[in-house]
Amino acid sequence: HKVSIIPRGIGTLGYTIQRPTEDRFLISQSELRNRISVLLAGRAAEQLIFSEATTGAADDLAKATDIAHAMVTRYGMSEALGLMALDIKQPQFLGQQERDMLSGYGEEIATMVSRAVREILDNTLQETLGLLKKNEAILREMATRLLQEETIDEDTLLTYKTRLLEGAQVTPP
């Protein structure tokens, strides 16, 4: 709904606001991957444009990792681990600490979880990079506009979205 490069708070160099368009109780695997793709888009753009990563995507990487980890350990969305729910929080009686069931598994399962999470992140990054390469002219146009105006509002973003969905070609600035 809004993208800005105006720094807000400590360590925030800009922001992207995404508001839900409807009340949701269930999220599909493809929607979770799309959320990860949005979070990885900054890192993918850095790779595409500058051929180098910066620390700017640190918070987004942490959020993307959390989603991928939940896909593997809570939602059974990993081919390698199947339908097992590994990350089960079990509340304890009378104020005792919650116990994380994932820690009860051995090193082999922990390694499998790490590999599955990394596979989701790596595959999604490559898909996102491909989308940005395909639409590099629009990426550059939006970046130029952000540098000029510092914020892009919802109406402008919808215009770019329409152009992307229609496969419109633009001339790079």
Side-chain angles (χ1 to χ4, degrees):
H1 288 83
K2 184 187 261 188
V3 176
S4 178
I5 58 171
I6 298 172
R8 297 279 188 230
I10 298 172
T12 303
L13 300 174
Y15 58 89
T16 301
I17 297 175
Q18 300 177 67
R19 285 182 275 159
T21 55
E22 58 189 40
D23 288 336
R24 300 293 305 268
F25 298 103
L26 299 173
I27 303 171
S28 70
Q29 186 172 358
S30 60
E31 289 171 301
L32 290 170
R33 283 186 177 268
N34 286 341
R35 288 181 183 189
I36 292 171
S37 184
V38 169
L39 290 164
L40 297 180
R43 174 57 59 89
E46 288 176 344
Q47 288 181 358
L48 178 64
I49 303 302
F50 304 116
S51 301
E52 184 176 32
T54 70
T55 58
D59 188 53
D60 291 337
L61 291 174
K63 289 176 183 174
T65 301
D66 287 345
I67 293 170
H69 191 269
M71 290 172 69
V72 172
T73 61
R74 294 183 63 206
Y75 308 135
M77 295 179 177
S78 163
E79 288 185 30
L81 292 160
L83 297 176
M84 292 192 305
L86 298 169
D87 190 10
I88 303 168
K89 302 285 186 196
Q90 288 190 336
Q92 300 299 308
F93 185 66
L94 293 177
Q96 293 176 332
Q97 295 231 339
E98 276 188 354
R99 194 174 59 186
D100 184 351
M101 290 304 290
L102 185 59
S103 63
Y105 291 96
E107 190 175 318
E108 180 181 351
I109 294 293
T111 300
M112 290 174 72
V113 167
S114 294
R115 283 185 184 142
V117 168
R118 183 170 181 168
E119 181 179 334
I120 289 170
L121 295 173
D122 288 348
N123 290 344
T124 306
L125 178 64
Q126 290 310 310
E127 291 167 9
T128 305
L129 195 52
L131 284 171
L132 289 178
K133 281 180 184 176
K134 179 181 172 188
N135 297 288
E136 185 175 345
I138 293 175
L139 169 69
R140 289 180 179 275
E141 182 182 319
M142 287 181 71
T144 299
R145 188 165 187 165
L146 268 171
L147 287 171
Q148 292 168 349
E149 299 176 18
E150 296 182 332
T151 300
I152 297 178
D153 64 11
E154 183 175 5
D155 291 336
T156 304
L157 288 170
L158 287 173
T159 301
Y160 282 114
K161 178 181 177 183
T162 300
R163 289 170 57 196
L164 287 169
L165 292 174
E166 292 173 353
Q169 295 299 314
V170 296
T171 324

